[in-house]
Amino acid sequence: MISMESKVFDLLVLCMFAAFLIAIVSTYNSFIEKKRSLQLMEILIGILEADDPNLDGHSLHVHNLCMAIYEFLPYSYRLKVRQRDLHYASLLLDIGKLAIPREIVGHSGKLGQSQWEIMKKHPDFGVEILDDIDGFPKVKEYILYHHERIDGNGYHQLTGDQIPLGAKIIAVADTYSAITMNRSYRATLPYAAAVSELKLAAGKQLDEYLVKVFCNIPMNKIDECLEDVRRKMDRFSYEGKD
């Protein structure tokens, strides 16, 4: 059970984030302000994830990887997903974890069954947090279904074409990020091993075509996605600083 002090702190963080989010969304439809609002969103996400060994820029990494995948998609696929929706959904994919007790989110070992059932609700919590914001239907949809599996064994049991394309893109990026970024509960995998894992998951967990697209992205471009996150997170982390 978390302490009352911890609950109050989490509530304050959530309220502050919601206030900033509303301000950002007010510029969502403005072409001139789009880049600025996304930059502010990156800063907020970075601050929230700083110094947490099980997050530590994960959302920023997923965002960068999603943009790389989008860049390499054929035009027919790009027509089905607005880049702007993918921008916001990939940055906010784990916003629902703000509603998960911190001892679960930061757990260093394997979660127990009851803890795992709570963790699995984070996409739903994310949609609830964004519920009153107009103009985000696709963003909410992608967040809600980013843990679906092609074989139907995901959080909401959607299968194949029932899963929105944007959510499938995020799932590929999220999976790669999860197995290549540092985690307190397991060792990371290098690029070649991680790509092999994606290929094994293709057609079962992940969309087979999107995995193929990902694997055709030059390795240096994939590496740059993480290097960019490390540079940004260095600005947000105060661990070891005076």
Side-chain angles (χ1 to χ4, degrees):
M1 182 179 294
I2 55 177
S3 67
M4 182 58 67
E5 229 177 70
S6 177
K7 288 182 178 179
V8 170
F9 176 79
D10 288 343
L11 182 60
L12 286 173
V13 170
L14 182 57
C15 289
M16 289 173 60
F17 188 83
F20 277 117
L21 184 60
I22 290 170
I24 291 169
V25 172
S26 67
T27 65
Y28 179 72
N29 292 313
S30 168
F31 176 79
I32 296 176
E33 295 294 333
K34 183 179 72 171
K35 184 175 180 180
R36 187 178 303 169
S37 67
L38 284 167
Q39 289 173 335
L40 179 55
M41 180 73 75
E42 286 186 3
I43 292 171
L44 293 172
I45 294 296
I47 290 171
L48 286 172
E49 294 190 352
D51 298 324
D52 186 328
N54 293 326
L55 293 175
D56 194 25
H58 170 64
S59 297
L60 301 185
H61 191 212
V62 172
H63 168 262
N64 288 353
L65 292 169
C66 282
M67 293 303 103
I69 294 170
Y70 187 87
E71 181 183 340
F72 280 79
L73 284 176
Y75 183 68
S76 60
Y77 272 68
R78 292 193 195 186
L79 289 176
K80 299 175 185 177
V81 180
R82 285 200 311 177
Q83 188 179 32
R84 183 170 59 182
D85 290 330
L86 193 60
H87 265 301
Y88 280 87
S90 58
L91 280 171
L92 294 168
L93 85 160
D94 282 337
I95 186 178
K97 288 182 179 178
L98 287 172
I100 304 290
R102 280 184 291 167
E103 66 265 26
I104 294 179
V105 176
H107 192 67
S108 59
K110 185 177 180 180
L111 293 174
Q113 185 59 37
S114 61
Q115 293 173 312
W116 179 240
E117 290 302 320
I118 294 172
M119 179 63 84
K120 284 168 61 177
K121 294 179 181 177
H122 79 267
D124 300 84
F125 291 151
V127 171
E128 287 180 22
I129 291 170
L130 300 172
D131 189 50
D132 292 331
I133 299 175
D134 295 327
F136 260 25
K138 286 296 181 182
V139 173
K140 297 172 191 174
E141 185 180 71
Y142 298 164
I143 291 172
L144 183 62
Y145 297 128
H146 77 274
H147 277 295
E148 299 312 296
R149 293 172 54 106
I150 299 302
D151 60 14
N153 291 319
Y155 290 6
H156 297 90
Q157 289 82 54
L158 269 63
T159 181
D161 291 339
Q162 293 178 326
I163 307 170
L165 179 58
K168 291 179 181 179
I169 294 171
I170 293 174
V172 173
D174 189 28
T175 301
Y176 180 84
S177 178
I179 59 182
T180 56
M181 289 191 75
N182 291 328
R183 291 291 184 271
S184 63
Y185 49 85
R186 57 153 178 74
T188 61
L189 292 180
Y191 172 83
V195 165
S196 294
E197 289 293 315
L198 293 185
K199 290 178 179 178
L200 287 174
K204 294 173 288 187
Q205 175 187 347
L206 304 172
D207 183 273
E208 190 169 8
Y209 179 74
L210 292 177
V211 169
K212 182 179 179 181
V213 170
F214 184 93
C215 294
N216 284 332
I217 300 173
M219 185 177 72
N220 68 304
K221 190 170 184 66
I222 296 298
D223 289 341
E224 286 171 4
C225 290
L226 184 56
E227 290 167 7
D228 176 68
V229 173
R230 294 274 67 88
R231 286 194 298 269
K232 289 173 179 174
M233 293 306 294
D234 282 344
R235 304 199 325 257
F236 306 136
S237 176
Y238 287 88
E239 185 177 349
K241 294 183 181 180
D242 293 331

